[in-house]
Amino acid sequence: MVAAFSLPTGHRAAQAADDPLFGEATADRSGNIYMTAGTARVNKIVRLSPVGKATSLSIPGPADGGSSPIAGMTTTPDGDLLVGRPKNIYRVTPNGKTKEVIKTKVSNPSPMGVRPDGSIVVEGDGSLWSIAHGTTSLLFKGSASDAEDLATVRGKLRGAVDTSGTVYAAVGMHFPDMVVIPRGKKPHRWALRGNVPGTSVPLSTLTPLTLAQAHDGGVYILAASGFPTSNHSSGYVLFIKDNAVKLLAKAPFKGDSLACRPGKEYSVHHIPCSLPWYVVQSGKRVLLLGDHKSDSRIVPLALRADTK
């Protein structure tokens, strides 16, 4: 089952991840969720605790960040938050205190995850980079066609790093364009075959939108069919590990849909409302949150992080 819920509004948490062009959402292993829209409306990072308490954190670094002060953010295995700003990554404690500033040559580094050896994987300038011990190394060089595709899917490459250190990145419009970089090996395209489980929809036709690490290995991916051209796109929440694909939820992504009501539960295969934009794992739940249509408020959803 999937449950609809409400975000507290006292710290603008309900608006914190509502802009898929500049917004960010991530979660740590303790269940804290961090969100920001990176716009003038929401110029703070909002931390939502596992019990639903919202706290506003100041954005680290210079105060003159403009309308899009955060390039990206992710969490570390020990519970800190990594926040990307121009040519710097700030390591921030859960209470908002900056404990380290990591410099990089990447103009707008967007932290994607941390590998077991402590190196930080970032997206920036249309490419993938690794930052370790003060050195920035290129992992994957993006192309002009990749940049065009990224603009189509709201501006920048999205990805995740699994617990083994393998990087999964949405480079281009469809699943066959995705780049996989195992630790210590060269990048390759992700040659997933077959259909979305239980459907006749080929995986190769899906557009990967947002990704998140699964705490027991593998990744969660929010993907859509017919995106962005179709007015009746469908969204899919997938769990993928060792190239095995499991469908966790299916719902409309664009077009007409009914509203889900906070406190109500729905079948994961018959969700009447549109799926939100971001996928994160918080504790034993996979959360979906963040608007992607400017004329609507999309209700956050929670489903069980069932990876068995």
Side-chain angles (χ1 to χ4, degrees), residues 94-242:
N95 64 5
K97 182 179 180 180
T98 298
K99 60 189 290 187
E100 184 181 9
V101 181
I102 303 163
K103 297 188 178 301
T104 174
K105 62 184 181 183
V106 181
S107 58
N108 285 294
S110 176
M112 189 176 290
V114 180
R115 284 176 153 176
D117 62 2
S119 59
I120 303 169
V121 178
V122 305
E123 184 270 344
D125 304 330
S127 299
L128 294 172
W129 308 81
S130 175
I131 302 174
H133 309 296
T135 300
T136 300
S137 305
L138 182 66
L139 292 176
F140 174 82
K141 177 65 175 176
S143 67
S145 60
D146 291 334
E148 292 173 359
D149 286 338
L150 292 177
T152 306
V153 291
R154 308 298 176 90
K156 71 176 184 178
L157 183 157
R158 303 270 182 184
V161 180
D162 73 10
T163 54
S164 73
T166 298
V167 181
Y168 299 84
V171 178
M173 279 293 294
H174 299 105
F175 261 75
D177 302 319
M178 289 192 68
V179 169
V180 179
I181 313 176
R183 192 159 51 111
K185 297 183 179 181
K186 294 182 178 180
H188 65 270
R189 298 288 177 168
W190 205 4
L192 286 177
R193 296 178 173 83
N195 297 335
V196 176
T199 78
S200 60
V201 178
L203 288 167
S204 61
T205 65
L206 298 185
T207 298
L209 299 174
T210 56
L211 297 85
Q213 181 187 97
H215 295 168
D216 293 327
V219 291
Y220 297 105
I221 301 181
L222 172 66
S225 62
F227 183 87
T229 56
S230 173
N231 289 326
H232 299 283
S233 176
S234 294
Y236 304 88
V237 183
L238 304 173
F239 169 70
I240 305 178
K241 183 178 181 180
D242 300 327

Side-chain angles (χ1 to χ4, degrees), residues 34-55:
Y34 296 89
M35 301 174 287
T36 181
T39 68
R41 284 185 305 143
V42 185
N43 57 3
K44 298 282 187 179
I45 297 171
V46 176
R47 187 188 72 215
L48 189 65
S49 75
V51 296
K53 180 181 178 181
T55 305

Side-chain angles (χ1 to χ4, degrees), residues 63-86:
D64 57 349
S67 62
S68 179
I70 293 180
M73 60 185 185
T74 191
T75 57
T76 67
D78 57 358
D80 286 337
L81 180 69
L82 298 178
V83 180
R85 297 287 306 273

